[in-house]
Amino acid sequence: QVQLQESGPGLVKPSETLTLTCTVSGGAISSYYWNWIRQPPGKGLEWIGYISYTGSTNFNPSLRSRVTMSLDKSKKEFSLKVNSVTAADTAVYYCVRLWASRLDYWGQGNLVTVSS
Amino acid sequence: ETVLTQSPGTLSVSPGDTATLSCRASESVSSTYLSWYQQKPGQAPRLLIYDASTRATGIPDRFSGSGSGTDFTLTISRLEPEDLAVYYCQQYGTSPQLTFGGGTKVEIK
């Protein structure tokens, strides 16, 4: 059974960089697109972007200028960095596998609060 | 950008009844690229339906999807108390590559 697990700090100061890592277990990292999706408290889902198994990336235009993603195949991990964070970046961040246009496996989510 | 509009915002349904949820796209979406998700309180979303009408593994046949073009529907038959959740539609297309509807909350009467 494929499992994804987010890890990272739960609190980030304004203007700093948010960094999260997702570890994939129970399945291959090749042949899929690895996504980050976030959900502000009480609100809907927002796609941040993905990194493919080849390392190519695709980001939501609304966040593109502040986001980077990386992939470590040997560790079966992929990471998200969002710089210059503000309170509007406070959300639960999910790492998610994308296969053939559908998001089939989700991590449990990591709440990140931006506050001084 | 393809905008997905879900209606109603909240749906109150009695156990055993049928819930009909709508997802309307601002431009035509390929059926292959339309999915539905269920998010129960305090949990991550779960894939319910993909390719507009194919149930994901382990999803009961009470859940069905239909539609094409700009109008898609998720139908929940024989509603059970455990179906209390927010339901999201999602499309995969051009920039941004992936977008979600605003969600429909299903309440149990």
Side-chain angles (χ1 to χ4, degrees):
Chain A
Q1 175 75 342
V2 176
Q3 292 186 317
L4 287 77
Q5 178 67 58
E6 305 90 350
S7 59
L11 182 65
V12 180
K13 290 182 168 56
S15 80
E16 295 190 345
T17 297
L18 177 163
T19 301
L20 293 170
T21 297
C22 182
T23 302
V24 180
S25 60
I29 201 161
S30 299
S31 305
Y32 299 101
Y33 291 77
W34 301 96
N35 293 253
W36 290 96
I37 289 166
R38 70 181 184 179
Q39 185 172 37
K43 296 188 178 180
L45 301 166
E46 179 182 33
W47 176 71
I48 300 171
Y50 67 61
I51 184 166
S52 77
Y53 60 98
T54 63
S56 64
T57 55
N58 192 346
F59 301 135
N60 190 323
S62 67
L63 293 163
R64 182 177 292 145
S65 64
R66 298 193 295 127
V67 169
T68 56
M69 292 186 186
S70 60
L71 179 75
D72 187 328
K73 294 179 188 176
S74 63
K75 293 184 178 179
K76 294 179 70 175
E77 292 180 348
F78 62 104
S79 297
L80 167 72
K81 290 184 185 293
V82 182
N83 59 38
S84 305
V85 297
T86 70
D89 295 307
T90 293
V92 175
Y93 286 75
Y94 295 101
C95 59
V96 191
R97 191 179 84 169
L98 174 70
W99 180 63
S101 85
R102 56 193 180 261
L103 301 160
D104 60 353
Y105 287 97
W106 295 65
Q108 65 184 27
N110 191 125
L111 173 62
V112 178
T113 301
V114 178
S115 175
S116 55
Chain B
E1 175 181 348
T2 302
V3 177
L4 299 179
T5 301
Q6 291 188 241
S7 62
T10 302
L11 191 57
S12 187
V13 186
S14 298
D17 286 352
T18 297
T20 302
L21 288 64
S22 172
C23 175
R24 180 160 292 175
S26 59
E27 53 194 22
S28 186
V29 174
S30 168
S31 296
T32 308
Y33 294 156
L34 195 289
S35 301
W36 290 90
Y37 301 84
Q38 175 193 61
Q39 186 176 33
K40 295 183 177 181
Q43 296 184 15
R46 174 176 71 150
L47 176 65
L48 280 181
I49 301 284
Y50 62 92
D51 295 353
S53 61
T54 303
R55 279 186 298 278
T57 303
I59 302 303
D61 60 7
R62 302 186 296 105
F63 292 88
S64 62
S66 63
S68 63
T70 59
D71 289 298
F72 297 88
T73 300
L74 174 69
T75 302
I76 311 172
S77 304
R78 307 183 300 280
L79 199 86
E80 297 185 2
E82 66 187 32
D83 298 332
L84 164 71
V86 179
Y87 294 83
Y88 295 95
C89 58
Q90 169 252 316
Q91 70 86 32
Y92 180 82
T94 54
S95 182
Q97 189 84 60
L98 199 151
T99 55
F100 293 94
T104 291
K105 183 177 182 179
V106 172
E107 297 181 337
I108 310 299
K109 282 184 183 176

